[in-house]
Amino acid sequence: MASAADIGIDLGTSNVLIYARGKGIVLNEPAVVALERDTRSIRAIGTEAHRMIGRTPSSIAALRPLREGMVSDFELTSSMLHYFVTQVIGKRMFARPRAVLSLPSGVNEMEKRSISAIMFEAGARRTQLLDRPVAAAIGAGINITDAYGSMIVDIGAGMTDIAVLSLGRVIVSDAAKLGGDHFDDAIIRYLRRKHNLLIGERTAEELKINIGSAMPRAEQMYLDVTGRNLISGLPKLMRITSDEIYEAIDDPLTALIEAIHAVLEHTPAELAADVFDNGIVLSGGGARLSGLADAISTALKVDCRVADNPQECVATGCGLTLENLAEFGRYLNDGRRR
């Protein structure tokens, strides 16, 4: 898997994706670390750690080191990033690759500088940062270089970046603390309130992915799930319908639409007219929720579509920037040079 190619990295809340020049996406792993609680020694990272969520003994914790677009545990974030980058580029003393990195909007300046240093230790010659909305727009195939307004809504697990761009710059934006995790939490609360059924994060995510929809389904779907009955304390198998999941996610869906509406309200008139002509593009893993584009389009009366391979847009945008520095290089924030 090791490659000397330059790399583009999407360090997301739920997944880390790496794009290698000339190869496309070469790594897509959950942003999860499993560690011993007492010693903090790492047991697993990525897919293996993700399988442990909700299934570990009390001595082991399976954690996401990033939450709601922010670094909640910098030490674990560093170890995870170092592990993934080393997996892709190998341990090289010479011919170090360059890297373009896109971080969650909540990461502060000190953390950005520290992450650049981690990238150097992992084998990158130079790391430059690319604003997340710009990376998502490039990866989604939006022409950001023209004097024409384009709107990108990048829906992650813990945060949604909403931006109107023109001439490659963000004109109006908002980073809303809304995302896939909030839809999962809403499902957990709903089933607890309605059925006295306690389910875990992974089960909620499965319900969202398999039968969830932001619009009422023409044909009812269902999924059998096992949780704990909060009255008896015993395991319970229950059939959950798609109508119930639609009802459960109403609050975070409404909040997401309101956040997009607020950005449009603050967009200059000419650029807003461009958005109404060209529509809204959704990217990020959260954009895969069935019916989401239709729900946004219906509420805001603006065309809306989901980008191809929406979860890969940010990493692809970082990689395409490396492959087309003459066109996109000016949008990079210069990283730490060694």
Side-chain angles (χ1 to χ4, degrees), residues 1 15 39 78 147 153 174 184 212 232 242 246 250 265 267 301:
M1 199 173 185
N15 284 73
T39 63
S78 303
V153 180
D174 183 32
D184 297 343
S232 68
S242 55
Y246 169 70
D250 181 65
E265 281 187 323
T267 300
K301 307 295 188 267

Side-chain angles (χ1 to χ4, degrees), residues 117-133:
I118 292 162
M119 289 294 297
F120 178 77
E121 292 169 5
R125 177 173 84 250
R126 179 185 180 189
T127 299
Q128 292 173 286
L129 304 180
L130 184 61
D131 287 343
R132 198 167 190 82

Side-chain angles (χ1 to χ4, degrees), residues 2-237:
S3 170
D6 295 338
I7 55 175
I9 304 173
D10 171 13
L11 180 61
T13 303
S14 64
N15 284 73
V16 177
L17 289 87
I18 300 182
Y19 179 107
R21 179 194 288 268
K23 294 186 176 182
I25 302 295
V26 295
L27 183 141
N28 183 352
E29 294 255 5
V32 181
V33 179
L35 76 160
E36 297 279 355
R37 291 184 186 274
D38 294 338
T39 63
R40 289 187 65 83
S41 60
I42 293 175
R43 292 285 298 268
I45 296 175
T47 301
E48 186 180 349
H50 185 260
R51 292 194 194 104
M52 299 181 183
I53 293 177
R55 296 188 171 97
T56 60
S58 58
S59 60
I60 298 175
L63 306 171
R64 279 199 195 152
L66 294 100
R67 280 282 183 184
E68 295 191 341
M70 295 182 290
V71 177
S72 60
D73 190 315
F74 189 79
E75 182 183 345
L76 290 185
T77 300
S78 303
S79 299
M80 180 181 70
L81 182 59
H82 191 284
Y83 173 79
F84 287 141
V85 172
T86 304
Q87 264 198 316
V88 171
I89 69 176
K91 296 180 179 179
R92 299 177 179 275
M93 295 300 293
F94 306 101
R96 288 171 170 259
R98 290 175 300 176
V100 169
L101 178 65
S102 185
L103 300 169
S105 298
V107 176
N108 62 43
E109 290 302 318
M110 182 178 295
E111 288 168 341
K112 288 178 182 178
R113 289 193 295 270
S114 298
I115 286 171
S116 294
I118 292 162
M119 289 294 297
F120 178 77
E121 292 169 5
R125 177 173 84 250
R126 179 185 180 189
T127 299
Q128 292 173 286
L129 304 180
L130 184 61
D131 287 343
R132 198 167 190 82
V134 175
I138 293 172
I142 298 173
N143 182 1
I144 66 168
T145 59
D146 289 345
Y148 191 86
S150 302
M151 180 175 242
I152 184 80
V153 180
D154 184 65
I155 308 168
M159 183 168 283
T160 295
D161 285 287
I162 308 163
V164 174
L165 301 98
S166 179
L167 292 171
R169 302 296 179 188
V170 175
I171 308 301
V172 186
S173 68
D174 183 32
K177 287 190 176 181
L178 292 162
D181 288 348
H182 299 84
F183 286 86
D184 297 343
D185 290 343
I187 293 170
I188 292 170
R189 290 195 304 271
Y190 178 88
L191 295 182
R192 181 171 188 153
R193 183 176 65 250
K194 182 175 181 180
H195 297 299
N196 289 309
L197 184 72
L198 180 63
I199 62 170
E201 294 176 13
R202 292 188 63 178
T203 302
E205 186 177 23
E206 288 173 9
L207 284 166
K208 178 184 68 180
I209 293 170
N210 291 310
I211 65 172
S213 177
M215 295 286 284
R217 289 185 181 272
E219 185 176 343
Q220 181 86 287
M221 299 178 66
Y222 64 86
L223 190 68
D224 293 329
V225 299
T226 302
R228 189 172 82 238
N229 186 304
L230 291 170
I231 297 175
S232 68
L234 299 175
K236 182 177 181 179
L237 179 68

Side-chain angles (χ1 to χ4, degrees), residues 243-319:
D243 282 351
E244 288 180 304
I245 302 304
Y246 169 70
E247 185 179 344
I249 64 174
D250 181 65
D251 285 347
L253 176 62
T254 300
L256 175 62
I257 292 172
E258 288 175 352
I260 298 170
H261 186 203
V263 171
L264 281 171
E265 281 187 323
H266 291 88
T267 300
E270 294 297 332
L271 295 179
D274 294 339
V275 172
F276 275 87
D277 289 341
N278 206 34
I280 299 168
V281 179
L282 306 181
S283 66
R288 296 177 297 179
L289 176 66
S290 176
L292 181 57
D294 290 338
I296 293 171
S297 181
T298 300
L300 300 180
K301 307 295 188 267
V302 184
D303 286 341
C304 185
R305 68 177 178 87
V306 179
D308 295 335
N309 303 312
Q311 189 183 38
E312 299 178 359
C313 284
V314 171
T316 299
C318 291

